[in-house]
Each structure stands twice: as structure tokens, then as C-alpha cells.
Amino acid sequence: TVLASVLSLVFVAALGGSALAGELPKQGTYETAWTFSGPYTVIDLGKENSAWISHFTVTRWNTAGGDLYNNISADCIGMGGSKGKLASSGYCVFTDDDGDNIYEYWYETEPGKGVGVTLGGTGKYEGLQGEDNYEYVFTADSPEGTFHGIGHDEGSYTITR
């Protein structure tokens, strides 16, 4: 009906088109949970040390109900070492259902804890910057040469574009 069309136009004008398009607010906070798994390769660095490298996947969802990092998967690389000689760190490329990407660098601050730094993105994530603090645990019963785990984080972000 004409009335429904007019009300729809008023609604769009009142909210602004970006709210209907699912655009993220220019700043905010997020809480996410995630799973990760993949193979790894270890090299021996002498009697008491070793190093690992991996190409693994992450699935992440927003536990606070927000859109950022919700139902998104990542392709990641990482490396680390034993006994604190080489801290674990790496990079992830998250891709959502629309094909837009978020780029992230992560590093451990201590075993099982670390910081994720959002480096930017494409599409709706262009200009995205942020940081989170994370914790994770490895799950039991992973076959030799693979790892599986779960984690959670809390962070904040801004979008500058």
C-alpha cells in the first residue's frame, strides 16, 4: 500500500541507510569465543628447545550478540618455541559470508594468554583497527601432529574511513 511505502521511507530516513545495511558502529566493544585446529611441524633446537610452525583454521562468533567477528572463519599461520625462547605469534585473515576480510596479528604474552591486534580489512571492515585480550586452552585427544583448542576474548575497535 501507499501508506506502507511512505512509512518505510520515513523509517529509512530516520535510521539512515547504514543501519539497514548492517554497517558497524564507528567504535565499540566485542566479546567472542572461538575454536581452532590444524597440523603443526616441530623442529629440534637442541637438548631443551624446539620450535613449531602451523597453518590452521579458526571459527569465531560474537558472544555479546554483536556483528563484529560473528560467525566468521579464518585462515591463519603461526609459529612459536619452547620454554619461552620464542613467543608464539602469527597472522589470521578472517572472511565473512559476504567475502569481506579482517586482518589480525596475534601474539602470546604468557602461555594460554595473549593479544590480538586488528590491522584492517576490506569491504565493511575497511578502516577497522582494534585490540583484544584472549585466553585459550588446548583440548585433549588431538592426534599426533595436530592441535585443537577453544578460546575467548574481549576487545574494542574503531573504524576510521
Side-chain angles (χ1 to χ4, degrees), residues 5-101:
S5 297
V6 169
L7 288 176
S8 294
L9 289 173
V10 169
F11 182 70
V12 169
L15 289 179
S18 65
L20 292 177
E23 189 171 307
L24 293 169
K26 295 291 184 189
Q27 63 182 19
T29 60
Y30 58 90
E31 297 177 27
T32 72
W34 30 274
T35 63
F36 58 94
S37 65
Y40 64 88
T41 301
V42 175
I43 60 171
D44 181 26
L45 297 175
K47 187 175 180 179
E48 297 188 28
N49 296 302
S50 62
W52 64 268
I53 189 164
S54 181
H55 184 183
F56 60 99
T57 59
V58 173
T59 301
R60 194 171 182 182
W61 59 98
N62 192 311
T63 57
D67 290 330
L68 184 62
Y69 289 115
N70 195 40
N71 297 326
I72 195 167
S73 61
D75 188 33
C76 303
I77 58 170
M79 65 177 293
S82 63
K83 301 193 189 280
K85 303 288 185 198
L86 178 63
S88 297
S89 64
Y91 293 88
C92 294
V93 177
F94 288 88
T95 305
D96 69 11
D97 288 339
D98 297 328
D100 295 336
N101 294 321

